[in-house]
Amino acid sequence: PYVKLNVFYGHKRIAKKKTHVKKCTLNPVFNESFIYDVPAELLPDISIEFLVMDFDRTTKNQALGRLVLGANSPCPLGAAHWQEVCQNPRRQISKWHTLNEY
């Protein structure tokens, strides 16, 4: 599996990145950092989508789950986490989240 990250400003995607593929594991750990240069005043309008993907060379890569943090988060915990990020710019805020079906 691997994770695709999409950064949205409002409803427009402004950046995308992905992690390395973690081969031969059912319990992958993605300990990777991505840096985006976003002015602090724009943070409340930013959303980050995390798509956990199943890497497969023979068929289309399949989405296993999804998490959205930010203004467009369908989950209250995702919106609350992003609000905490906005209130503490340049500080790492770590939380566990469950994935939604995609």
Side-chain angles (χ1 to χ4, degrees):
Y2 65 98
V3 178
K4 287 173 62 173
L5 290 89
N6 292 306
V7 179
F8 293 91
Y9 177 67
H11 291 287
K12 182 179 186 219
R13 184 173 68 184
I14 59 171
K16 64 180 181 176
K17 294 186 181 183
K18 67 180 185 177
T19 66
H20 291 93
V21 174
K22 302 294 183 182
K23 296 180 182 178
C24 304
T25 180
L26 295 176
N27 297 302
V29 174
F30 301 99
N31 191 15
E32 298 183 37
S33 297
F34 296 95
I35 298 173
Y36 299 97
D37 189 19
V38 177
E41 63 272 8
L42 297 182
L43 281 178
D45 298 321
I46 296 289
S47 296
I48 302 177
E49 174 186 54
F50 300 86
L51 290 169
V52 179
M53 306 293 290
D54 181 26
F55 178 76
D56 195 339
R57 290 189 190 275
T58 58
T59 61
K60 187 176 188 308
N61 294 342
Q62 176 185 9
L64 301 175
R66 177 179 184 248
L67 169 68
V68 178
L69 298 181
N72 297 324
S73 178
C75 171
L77 294 176
H81 185 169
W82 192 251
Q83 186 176 18
E84 189 175 347
V85 168
C86 292
Q87 292 169 352
N88 300 284
R90 303 197 195 308
R91 195 171 127 226
Q92 184 175 336
I93 309 290
S94 300
K95 295 197 186 284
W96 285 96
H97 293 275
T98 55
L99 296 175
N100 297 319
E101 290 184 28
Y102 187 72

